[in-house]
Amino acid sequence: MTLDLSLFSTMASASASFVAIIGGLIASKLITINGERESVETHILELDELIEMKSKEEASIGQELDEDDALDYITDHIDDIVKKTSLADVYEADKPQRLEFNTLEEYWNIAIGLYEKFQKANTNGCEVNDDDIPTELATEFAEDDFMYSLCEKFAKMESGAAWILTKSLSVTAAHTDWYNGKRKEQNAILRELDVLRLQKEQAVRKKDALVKPPHMKLGLIIFAGIIVFCILIPLLFMKLISHYPNIQNCAETTCLIFATIGLLSTIFYMGSLLQWKHNKTDKK
């Protein structure tokens, strides 16, 4: 008696097609998600570079403004610098100040130390430049605007009466324009940094959302199930029926049930991939 095993081979072949379809969908989804993830990671790196660059630029401008504010404060309290008075005895916390105490204290102590060096250089008869600054100090602080400006203040103070006029006119219109321009520039950079950090936060959230793709686990389960129940088992039945022909009807029924479940599962999975997530804005 010849056994008709075509049903089993047909089921195995059809199931193999289902496996190819599901495998293709999963692979396509993974490739798409991987591409999106790499794109987001690249964008995050670019944002990090921009944030770092803008932060350095803002810090540089902030330092310029801090040094200028400190210089103005020290100029107004130059007598206390000469007397080596502690800033704690001079700083009026109850009045509006451009600099916080801790920030200003650092510049204050630097000014006291610099004045000691200035006095020592003058005492030793050191030559002075056109700004009446000892040449050794002028050379040392040639690239440091804050320190050189302090030396200029000390030199003018040592000149006597001329210091009173210089002190009262220390803030010129041009200087005010420069200061206000720098402050506006700093504020503009801070706004840019806020935008860049927000963009990075959004990009990081997007990256995190791409870590675990939706329905991917379900697809793998269906993929494995079809391989086992719709390909391997029919092939196993083909082998068994050749030895036990009486189980053919039961085997065919079982394989038809598995094939039906596999087909419906494939259709369900493909439908789930085509579903769109509805945002709250879609309901408005």
Side-chain angles (χ1 to χ4, degrees):
M1 174 179 170
T2 304
L3 297 175
D4 184 7
L5 302 178
S6 60
L7 178 63
F8 299 101
S9 61
T10 301
M11 287 183 182
S13 300
S15 299
S17 299
F18 293 158
V19 168
I21 291 172
I22 296 175
L25 289 173
I26 294 175
S28 175
K29 191 75 173 177
L30 287 175
I31 291 172
T32 301
I33 291 173
N34 186 61
E36 290 180 3
R37 186 177 175 82
E38 288 181 354
S39 176
V40 171
E41 288 176 343
T42 300
H43 184 51
I44 291 174
L45 289 175
E46 292 173 350
L47 289 173
D48 282 336
E49 290 176 357
L50 282 173
I51 290 172
E52 183 180 2
M53 180 185 70
K54 289 295 181 179
S55 296
K56 288 181 179 179
E57 188 176 349
E58 188 277 329
S60 176
I61 294 175
Q63 183 178 352
E64 286 185 67
L65 293 173
D66 285 351
E67 289 180 353
D68 189 76
D69 290 336
L71 190 62
D72 287 343
Y73 190 90
I74 290 169
T75 300
D76 293 337
H77 299 82
I78 196 76
D79 294 336
D80 294 303
I81 295 291
V82 173
K83 296 175 184 177
K84 301 179 183 179
T85 306
S86 171
L87 179 63
D89 297 330
V90 179
Y91 193 83
E92 297 175 293
D94 57 332
K95 293 184 179 181
Q97 304 288 350
R98 287 184 175 180
L99 292 177
E100 297 291 335
F101 177 85
N102 291 337
T103 303
L104 182 57
E105 186 178 33
E106 180 181 352
Y107 291 107
W108 183 269
N109 293 333
I110 288 174
I112 291 176
L114 179 61
Y115 184 68
E116 290 178 354
K117 293 179 68 174
F118 186 90
Q119 279 188 311
K120 184 177 180 180
N122 280 340
T123 302
N124 293 337
C126 181
E127 294 183 1
V128 298
N129 63 5
D130 294 338
D131 295 320
D132 295 328
I133 300 174
T135 53
E136 63 179 52
L137 295 181
T139 302
E140 181 179 353
F141 303 120
E143 303 297 327
D144 191 328
D145 292 338
F146 175 74
M147 299 295 280
Y148 193 90
S149 296
L150 275 178
C151 289
E152 285 185 308
K153 301 292 184 183
F154 295 147
K156 290 175 181 177
M157 181 189 66
E158 295 290 337
S159 66
W163 166 246
I164 299 176
L165 179 62
T166 303
K167 182 177 178 181
S168 63
L169 298 178
S170 59
V171 180
T172 63
H175 179 269
T176 301
D177 291 341
W178 172 87
Y179 185 91
N180 292 336
K182 283 291 182 179
R183 185 66 71 185
K184 288 180 180 178
E185 185 179 353
Q186 183 187 39
N187 291 335
I189 294 174
L190 289 173
R191 288 193 294 270
E192 288 184 48
L193 281 170
D194 288 339
V195 173
L196 289 172
R197 291 189 179 108
L198 177 60
Q199 290 178 349
K200 180 183 176 180
E201 183 180 340
Q202 293 172 337
V204 169
R205 284 202 300 266
K206 183 177 180 181
K207 175 187 172 183
D208 292 340
L210 292 171
V211 172
K212 294 181 179 179
H215 309 302
M216 196 60 61
K217 185 177 180 180
L218 175 62
L220 292 173
I221 292 173
I222 295 174
F223 183 83
I226 291 178
I227 290 176
V228 173
F229 294 103
C230 299
I231 297 179
L232 296 180
I233 288 181
L235 294 176
L236 179 61
F237 278 146
M238 290 175 65
K239 186 70 174 179
L240 290 175
I241 290 172
S242 62
H243 297 286
Y244 307 100
N246 58 322
I247 68 169
Q248 181 170 357
N249 291 334
C250 180
E252 289 177 349
T253 302
T254 302
C255 287
L256 283 172
I257 292 173
F258 287 158
T260 302
I261 294 174
L263 176 60
L264 292 177
S265 299
T266 303
I267 294 173
F268 171 77
Y269 177 66
M270 293 178 66
S272 68
L273 292 178
L274 297 175
Q275 290 180 354
W276 294 92
K277 291 183 179 180
H278 296 284
N279 297 323
K280 293 180 180 180
T281 53
D282 295 337
K283 299 179 181 179
K284 295 181 180 180

